[in-house]
Amino acid sequence: MKQNIFVLGLDEPGHSELAALPHAGWCSFHGILTLEDLQDGLISLTDLLEQAEE
């Protein structure tokens, strides 16, 4: 069974790098939030976690 891996700000280049890792075939990578969400001014970790949970 594949393991679900959730990654903040996962983009296509990052997904390609993760997919190239040894044993990546056992994982399904899922992006949570966008890079824009993570780079937009002052960031509240609490707010980001709430957005990710949604």
Side-chain angles (χ1 to χ4, degrees), residues 12-39:
E12 186 55 41
H15 189 273
S16 296
E17 286 186 41
L18 290 171
L21 292 172
H23 308 291
W26 292 93
C27 303
S28 288
F29 299 104
H30 307 278
I32 299 177
L33 305 175
T34 65
L35 289 175
E36 291 79 24
D37 291 332
L38 300 172
Q39 297 175 348

Side-chain angles (χ1 to χ4, degrees), residues 4-6 16 18 21-22 24-25 41 53-54:
N4 290 311
I5 309 294
F6 298 92
S16 296
L18 290 171
L21 292 172
E53 287 175 350
E54 291 174 7

Side-chain angles (χ1 to χ4, degrees), residues 32-33 47-54:
I32 299 177
L33 305 175
D47 291 344
L48 285 177
L49 289 173
E50 287 176 4
Q51 286 178 359
E53 287 175 350
E54 291 174 7

